[in-house]
Amino acid sequence: MAFDPNTMLRLDGEVALVTGAARGIGAASAALLAAAGAEVLVADLDGAAAEAGAAAIRARGHRAHGLVLDVADDAGVAAAFEAVRERHGRLDVLVNNAGIALRKPTTELPRADWDKVVAVNLTGVFLCAQAAASIMLAGGGGRIVNLASIMGLSGGGLYPNISYQSTKGAVVNMTRALAVEWSKQNIRVNAVAPTWVKTELTRPLFENPELHARLKAVTPMERFPAPDDIAAAVLFLASRASAFVTGHTLAVDSGFLAQ
Ligand SMILES: NC(=O)c1ccc[n+]([C@@H]2O[C@H](COP(=O)([O-])OP(=O)(O)OC[C@H]3O[C@@H](n4cnc5c(N)ncnc54)[C@H](O)[C@@H]3O)[C@@H](O)[C@H]2O)c1
């Protein structure tokens, strides 16, 4: 048998970097990749929270380090990935997880808000993928997992969020384009598209009883995944269990897109 179910999801000896990893889906992904054996860089805008997240992973007996990283800052991205190259000499997995939402009706959305969301959700994914690939190409390959959203595969509709929908849709196609560009160099690029997951990002939605009920009403399973459920899909796409999957966006959506 070519595959052992006990090892196909293991990342022993590998280095993984997760952006926006101080909380939410990023923190769950960092913890699961570390539990799978990777040495994980918990990267976040909030350096103290990143270090606390790394310490929590180490307390469970796994390997992790905090790293300050603003994905929207080109010089900061370059410096952080250079530090990874110097300290670790390799990068096997990048999870482009950092993301923000500024929900306003389109006619009331200031240009500055649009620019901020584009800078983090789209340019940040590009900058980190570019910096990671320079290390991965020198090391013989790697895997990149981007956090898209069901909002990048549908028009939404329950509340206005044009910059989020636009950037997540772009992430879906960037995933395809980078997968094709690096397909012969052994870098696989995939994305996960979660439905609504209870985190700080979605707190205003879940805390509004009327909106919460409407989210449930448009969700076939009538239940929402936890950050750990999204992390499971991230690990699958980061591991050899998905060796021939590239350019794909995997919905973890309680059936939302199947309707
Ligand atoms: N929660 C959901 O329902 C949901 C659904 C679909 C997709 N997503 C996507 O999953 C990802 C994680 O979402 P979450 O719900 O865990 O969010 P969250 O707000 O709970 O956590 C986001 C983390 O990213 C960090 N961050 C923000 N801007 C950053 C920057 N410029 N550079 C580095 N780090 C930065 C924050 O400090 C925070 O730790 C995002 O890309 C989000 O769009 C979330």
Side-chain angles (χ1 to χ4, degrees):
M1 192 169 57
F3 271 146
D4 176 349
N6 295 310
T7 57
M8 61 203 290
L9 292 169
R10 295 293 308 176
L11 303 175
D12 300 289
E14 299 199 342
V15 175
L17 188 153
V18 183
T19 70
R23 67 178 194 219
I25 293 168
S29 300
L32 190 60
L33 297 181
E39 182 166 5
V40 175
L41 299 161
V42 177
D44 204 282
L45 200 53
D46 182 339
E51 188 40 54
I57 292 173
R58 288 196 298 271
R60 289 195 291 274
H62 307 304
R63 302 177 77 190
H65 315 275
L67 184 69
V68 186
L69 173 64
D70 177 354
V71 299
D73 169 27
D74 349 4
V77 169
F81 281 83
E82 195 41 48
V84 172
R85 190 201 302 272
E86 272 170 26
R87 282 182 218 151
H88 303 278
R90 63 187 294 161
L91 183 63
D92 303 283
V93 175
L94 166 68
V95 182
N96 269 317
N97 167 81
I100 58 171
L102 297 171
R103 305 174 187 100
K104 285 175 194 157
T106 299
T107 52
E108 292 162 29
L109 185 78
R111 165 71 191 257
D113 281 15
W114 168 270
D115 286 345
K116 199 167 174 206
V117 174
V118 169
V120 177
N121 292 11
L122 182 56
T123 309
V125 174
F126 162 69
L127 290 173
C128 291
Q130 185 183 51
S134 77
I135 305 177
M136 290 174 175
L137 289 169
R143 284 87 61 204
I144 297 175
V145 183
N146 298 323
L147 264 293
S149 168
I150 54 168
M151 292 303 146
L153 292 164
S154 74
L158 296 183
Y159 48 86
N161 204 2
I162 189 64
S163 53
Y164 191 84
Q165 260 98 341
S166 304
T167 53
K168 292 299 180 179
V171 166
V172 170
N173 216 36
M174 197 199 301
T175 299
R176 295 189 186 106
L178 292 179
V180 173
E181 183 171 343
W182 292 327
S183 55
K184 291 170 189 62
Q185 286 132 309
N186 200 30
I187 299 179
R188 290 191 294 113
V189 187
N190 289 291
V192 178
T195 182
W196 295 280
V197 179
K198 237 181 253 179
T199 64
E200 279 301 308
L201 186 80
T202 52
R203 194 139 67 106
L205 312 177
F206 281 103
E207 281 182 354
N208 175 334
E210 196 243 337
L211 187 50
H212 189 171
R214 284 164 63 208
L215 300 182
K216 213 169 148 185
V218 297
T219 300
M221 283 173 68
E222 295 185 336
R223 290 184 293 118
F224 301 101
D228 283 346
D229 297 303
I230 309 305
V234 169
L235 174 59
F236 167 68
L237 293 171
S239 74
R240 71 181 69 83
S242 61
F244 284 86
V245 181
T246 198
H248 184 67
T249 295
L250 175 58
V252 182
D253 69 347
S254 310
F256 180 88
L257 294 168
Q259 298 173 91

